[in-house]
Amino acid sequence: MSETDMSTASNPTSGSSISTALSPEESNRKLFVGGLSWETSDADLRAHFETYGTVAEAVVMRDRMTQRSRGFGFVVFENEESTNAAAAVENQELGGRTVCSLAEYIGVA
């Protein structure tokens, strides 16, 4: 796989992608969300996190072969303050499951 191929995480069902080669400013606006239900859609993820600020992109990662959710996704906010606000909330419920952000995994939130 080329460097260009590896720089983008693609979601074939939505046609959207989130770059994994982000600038430091952009990476401060990106939030990893784990523990998603298999039924959670990109729209569900976006709607949930829009309560914290304007969402630039929300993608549930899917298996390339089966198109089934892999149980995690990414949300990119328009600004860092919204990202921090979302990451600071523990035990968020989405689709009947408790989800958590990367910040919670590493003990920042």
Side-chain angles (χ1 to χ4, degrees):
M1 183 178 281
S2 73
E3 202 170 302
T4 303
D5 294 335
M6 293 175 63
S7 69
T8 302
S10 230
N11 185 342
T13 60
S14 69
S16 63
S17 63
I18 293 183
S19 174
T20 57
L22 299 173
S23 71
E25 182 217 276
E26 291 170 319
S27 67
N28 290 336
R29 297 184 293 119
K30 182 177 181 180
L31 188 68
F32 168 86
V33 183
L36 297 175
S37 118
W38 289 344
E39 292 79 29
T40 300
S41 68
D42 293 352
D44 296 334
L45 188 61
R46 176 182 290 274
H48 176 80
F49 282 96
E50 281 180 334
T51 61
Y52 302 103
T54 304
V55 173
E57 190 168 11
V59 176
V60 174
M61 301 310 295
R62 301 194 175 279
D63 180 274
R64 291 176 195 237
M65 299 295 286
T66 65
Q67 300 306 306
R68 185 168 140 187
S69 170
R70 294 179 60 199
F72 69 94
F74 295 95
V75 176
V76 178
F77 288 93
E78 290 291 329
N79 60 61
E80 190 175 338
E81 292 77 22
S82 298
T83 308
N84 292 338
V89 178
E90 295 183 30
N91 300 321
Q92 298 184 54
E93 189 171 313
L94 175 59
R97 304 231 2 211
T98 301
V99 299
C100 51
S101 68
L102 178 60
E104 291 173 35
Y105 281 127
I106 60 174
V108 175

